[in-house]
Amino acid sequence: MNLEQLFDQNKENTIQGRYITLENIKPLLEKESLKKEVTIIGESVLGKPIYSYQKGNGKTKIYLWSQMHGNESTTTKALFDFINLINSGSDLAKKLLDSFTFYCIPMLNPDGAKLYTRANANNVDLNRDSQDLTQPESKILRTVFEQFKPDYCFNLHDQRTIFGVADTGKPATVSFLAPSYNEEREVNESRLKAINLIAGINEVLQNYIPGQIGRFDDSFNINCIGDTFQYLGVPTLLFEAGHFPDDYEREVTRKFIFISLLSSFIILSENDIVSNRNDKYLNIPQNKVVFFDFMYKNVKINYDGIEIITNFVAQYKEELIDNQIKFNAYIVEVGDLEGYYGHYEYDAKGALYKDDFNNYPNQNQQADFNLDEKAFFVNGTIIK
């Protein structure tokens, strides 16, 4: 089975990039081919509708939700790619719909999506509200969980570009976690199902992005939704869409999320899970904060009248300006920075740093500078 070809055939081309709002997905949910399976299940803080999409007649019930954090949109794109697949009429689609009942919430936090913020309109992180349930979006997610009674939960997120795969120097393009259900981080039957499934997905992904799959720390936090659902006895998988080289719009990563979703359901439908794959799960390297978007090495800097050779780094801030996401690079640190990597690296070979400010790469300063007045950088990137 050619999973990349299936992605190309089912990719929802009307949604692209990082800024995905309710206005972008509403036309998809209102399509004639989908709308009979679409329901408005509640409203956000600002009164925006929260939609569900349910399809399939299979015994195994799958609960998926995306954009719990409004600025994490990659998995929303991949979820619509998958929805296209199960509506394709193919033999694979029929097999999946006979095996599973899918219940999707494509955008749990439409207010945060519009504002491009992690939190909702009340500035609450919904992924820390699973116990208190203070927000309408949290209550909707929990009510569906209790009524639908899923066999598996898929908690779909994005992660920042700072994460790498341990100390390998490779970005964590996709990461997973089978959340803990108690403080001791023990493995019971329910959690083992999530662990086994992630181990299977990892084997598939290694064929496409070898060494670029990470595993999140499993410290227990009952306020997180994944930990809560695992505690309540339902196998829960956390998906994190991360960085692929030069893919800041996350259009490449979206493909690997689609492949991960599809692989997980093929594995489950074929009962292709051995009894215990915990060792293989634990062999997935842990995520580590080791990356910056830009790293400039061996730069000569005039520091209080003394010239030194050092390194500095810059990081993008994703800023919503005129309904578009702008990637603006700001300097964040100067120093040896041993053990860190840049998604873009430049060796200055001792060239002197200069800018229009004070000729020093100060923190939070825009990354506009030159080196020996020969190499000029605007927004972190060399222009000549």
Side-chain angles (χ1 to χ4, degrees):
M1 185 180 298
N2 189 326
L3 299 180
E4 288 186 296
Q5 186 179 60
L6 284 170
F7 169 75
D8 292 336
Q9 292 169 348
N10 294 284
K11 182 179 180 183
E12 180 50 64
N13 289 307
T14 64
I15 49 175
Q16 304 271 348
R18 298 291 289 276
Y19 190 47
I20 306 297
T21 67
L22 187 61
E23 288 77 10
N24 298 124
I25 69 167
K26 192 174 177 182
L28 301 176
L29 296 168
E30 293 177 345
K31 286 196 304 187
E32 197 65 35
S33 58
L34 298 188
K35 66 181 184 181
K36 65 175 179 285
E37 288 110 10
V38 173
T39 304
I40 294 175
I41 53 175
E43 292 184 346
S44 67
V45 171
L46 299 180
K48 297 297 183 183
I50 296 173
Y51 291 89
S52 70
Y53 176 80
Q54 184 172 340
K55 192 174 181 71
N57 303 295
K59 179 181 177 182
T60 303
K61 293 189 284 187
I62 308 291
Y63 186 24
L64 311 97
W65 62 93
S66 186
Q67 267 179 289
M68 168 178 267
H69 295 141
N71 58 354
E72 298 180 3
S73 58
T74 307
T75 54
T76 301
K77 295 184 292 186
L79 191 53
F80 276 102
D81 301 335
F82 176 73
I83 288 172
N84 282 348
L85 184 145
I86 59 175
N87 281 279
S88 67
S90 66
D91 289 343
L92 175 59
K94 292 172 185 175
K95 177 183 177 181
L96 292 174
L97 295 173
D98 285 342
S99 300
F100 302 102
T101 300
F102 298 103
Y103 192 110
C104 311
I105 302 178
M107 185 176 288
L108 181 65
N109 182 5
D111 299 341
K114 184 67 174 177
L115 297 168
Y116 202 70
T117 58
R118 177 182 174 90
N120 74 345
N122 284 334
N123 200 31
V124 172
D125 184 340
L126 300 178
N127 203 26
R128 299 296 182 272
D129 191 40
S130 69
Q131 292 298 300
D132 294 337
L133 298 175
T134 63
Q135 302 304 301
E137 301 92 343
S138 307
K139 292 173 183 175
I140 290 166
L141 187 69
R142 183 61 174 270
T143 298
V144 171
F145 175 84
E146 291 173 351
Q147 293 176 350
F148 182 59
K149 302 186 187 314
D151 296 294
Y152 285 87
C153 290
F154 285 66
N155 187 10
L156 307 176
H157 289 263
D158 276 50
Q159 64 183 10
R160 296 172 61 196
T161 61
I162 60 177
F163 289 103
V165 177
D167 295 309
T168 64
K170 291 187 175 184
T173 300
V174 181
S175 298
F176 298 98
L177 175 67
S180 298
Y181 74 93
N182 63 6
E183 293 281 357
E184 293 74 25
R185 297 186 280 186
E186 294 172 321
V187 176
N188 60 1
E189 181 182 354
S190 173
R191 189 182 181 204
L192 183 59
K193 288 181 179 179
I195 284 171
N196 288 344
L197 188 50
I198 289 171
I201 299 168
N202 176 60
E203 287 186 356
V204 174
L205 283 183
Q206 292 294 342
N207 296 313
Y208 299 92
I209 42 172
Q212 290 174 230
I213 299 98
R215 175 172 54 88
F216 259 93
D217 175 76
D218 63 352
S219 298
F220 180 68
N221 183 349
I222 193 62
N223 295 308
C224 294
I225 194 66
D227 301 54
T228 292
F229 287 172
Q230 201 87 274
Y231 170 79
L232 293 171
V234 178
T236 300
L237 291 77
L238 171 69
F239 281 49
E240 293 277 357
H243 186 68
F244 185 87
D246 299 322
D247 181 39
Y248 282 92
E249 297 295 338
R250 300 264 166 102
E251 288 299 309
V252 179
T253 299
R254 118 190 236 178
K255 174 174 69 174
F256 300 123
I257 296 296
F258 171 88
I259 288 172
S260 300
L261 288 170
L262 181 53
S263 298
S264 67
F265 304 134
I266 292 171
I267 290 167
L268 286 174
S269 67
E270 294 177 350
N271 253 338
D272 189 21
I273 298 181
V274 297
S275 59
N276 191 323
R277 307 184 82 175
N278 192 41
D279 288 346
K280 290 190 174 183
Y281 171 76
L282 293 175
N283 282 336
I284 301 172
Q286 278 201 293
N287 275 1
K288 190 174 181 182
V289 177
V290 290
F291 269 99
F292 295 94
D293 291 319
F294 301 93
M295 177 174 280
Y296 310 97
K297 298 180 176 180
N298 303 309
V299 182
K300 185 186 293 183
I301 295 174
N302 192 319
Y303 182 71
D304 285 344
I306 301 171
E307 289 187 342
I308 61 170
I309 302 293
T310 189
N311 308 314
F312 70 96
V313 288
Q315 191 74 15
Y316 278 132
K317 288 184 182 178
E318 298 163 27
E319 299 177 330
L320 180 60
I321 301 171
D322 296 330
N323 285 320
Q324 290 187 323
I325 302 303
K326 303 293 186 182
F327 291 85
N328 292 321
Y330 296 89
I331 293 164
V332 291
E333 194 171 342
V334 179
D336 180 74
L337 298 164
E338 184 177 356
Y340 287 91
Y341 307 91
H343 292 299
Y344 169 87
E345 295 189 355
Y346 183 88
D347 188 349
K349 299 179 180 178
L352 180 65
Y353 175 95
K354 290 185 179 180
D355 61 33
D356 292 333
F357 306 100
N358 59 3
N359 293 323
Y360 186 85
N362 286 300
Q363 191 175 23
N364 297 322
Q365 181 175 294
Q366 280 200 296
D368 300 336
F369 59 92
N370 72 77
L371 298 170
D372 273 350
E373 297 185 348
K374 294 178 181 177
F376 292 81
F377 296 78
V378 173
N379 202 32
T381 302
I382 192 168
I383 58 168
K384 60 178 177 178

